[in-house]
């Protein structure tokens, strides 16, 4: 298998599994939103998705996933790295890159600069979001990493048999 084939396969599987996990997380978020009042929940859910920063973050998510998917394929198929650790590492890095955008937007929108000291700003806009989001996404990231890496690894076995 060539490096280009490995990159292409890794890119395809990584994007596919990122989309699957993204859609499941969206479904769970929607279920939480509509649990109290269905009509208002749907309106709020749609309204949250019309935010330009949300759309940019989703764009960053899939752009970075596209780039890291190629690395997943190359590292798993060519360099024979661990099929679980490699997508987990790049998935976590992807989440942190998307969070970096969110943190920068939060910092730029900060209006009460006089009421918060530097440590409170760092805690509120950087430490807390990174810690909370990382903990929340550990299980979905582990599921994604297992299935994504496993499919990449199994595709090489299928290709070698042909």
């Amino acid at each position: 298998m060539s490096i280009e084939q490995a990159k292409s396969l890794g890119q395809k599987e990584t994007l596919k599994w990122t989309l699957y996990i993204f859609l499941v997380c969206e479904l769970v978020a929607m279920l939480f939103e509509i649990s109290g009042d269905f009509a208002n929940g749907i309106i709020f859910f749609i309204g949250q998705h019309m935010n330009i920063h949300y759309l940019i973050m989703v764009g960053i998510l899939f752009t970075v996933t596209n780039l890291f998917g190629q690395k997943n394929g190359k590292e798993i198929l060519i360099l024979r790295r661990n099929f679980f650790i490699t997508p987990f590492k790049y998935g976590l890095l992807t989440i942190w890159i998307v969070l970096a955008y969110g943190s920068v937007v939060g910092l730029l929108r900060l209006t009460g600069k006089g009421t918060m000291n530097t440590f409170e700003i760092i805690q509120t806009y950087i430490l807390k979001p990174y810690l909370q989001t990382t903990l929340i996404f550990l299980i979905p990231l582990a599921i994604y990493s297992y299935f994504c890496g496993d499919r990449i690894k199994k595709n090489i076995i299928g290709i070698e048999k042909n």
Side-chain angles (χ1 to χ4, degrees), residues 46-57 105 109:
I46 292 170
Q48 292 166 354
H49 285 72
M50 291 173 48
N51 184 329
I52 187 68
H53 297 296
Y54 172 80
L55 297 174
I56 291 171
M57 289 173 78
V105 168
R109 296 176 106 190

Side-chain angles (χ1 to χ4, degrees), residues 6 11-13 22 27 29 35 40 44 55 62 68 71 105 118 130 140-141 145 155 161:
Q11 180 182 31
K12 182 182 92 174
E13 289 297 327
F22 175 78
L27 180 63
S35 64
N40 283 331
F44 289 135
L55 297 174
F62 284 101
F68 285 155
K71 290 183 177 281
V105 168
T118 305
Y130 272 83
L141 182 59
S145 299
N155 279 332
K161 284 182 181 177

Side-chain angles (χ1 to χ4, degrees), residues 14-30:
T14 302
L15 282 169
K16 179 172 71 174
W17 284 100
T18 299
L19 179 64
Y20 292 162
I21 294 296
F22 175 78
L23 292 175
V24 167
C25 289
E26 285 293 307
L27 180 63
V28 169
M30 184 179 71

Side-chain angles (χ1 to χ4, degrees), residues 19-131:
L19 179 64
Y20 292 162
I21 294 296
F22 175 78
L23 292 175
V24 167
C25 289
E26 285 293 307
L27 180 63
V28 169
M30 184 179 71
L31 291 175
F32 277 122
E33 192 69 47
I34 65 173
S35 64
D37 179 8
F38 182 80
N40 283 331
I42 290 290
I43 291 169
F44 289 135
F45 183 76
I46 292 170
Q48 292 166 354
H49 285 72
M50 291 173 48
N51 184 329
I52 187 68
H53 297 296
Y54 172 80
L55 297 174
I56 291 171
M57 289 173 78
V58 171
I60 291 170
L61 171 71
F62 284 101
T63 301
V64 172
T65 298
N66 188 34
L67 298 173
F68 285 155
Q70 295 176 9
K71 290 183 177 281
N72 278 339
K74 181 181 174 187
E75 287 188 23
I76 293 170
L77 299 176
I78 303 297
L79 302 177
R80 303 287 186 204
R81 301 265 167 82
N82 186 293
F83 79 96
F84 177 78
I85 299 297
T86 302
F88 191 88
K89 168 182 66 174
Y90 287 124
L92 190 59
L93 192 56
T94 300
I95 290 169
W96 289 347
I97 289 170
V98 173
L99 274 175
Y101 174 80
S103 293
V104 168
V105 168
L107 287 170
L108 292 176
R109 296 176 106 190
L110 185 63
T111 57
K113 289 184 181 179
T115 61
M116 295 177 83
N117 64 31
T118 305
F119 178 73
E120 289 172 334
I121 292 172
I122 291 171
Q123 182 181 5
T124 303
Y125 292 99
I126 298 170
L127 296 177
K128 202 178 211 180
Y130 272 83
L131 182 62

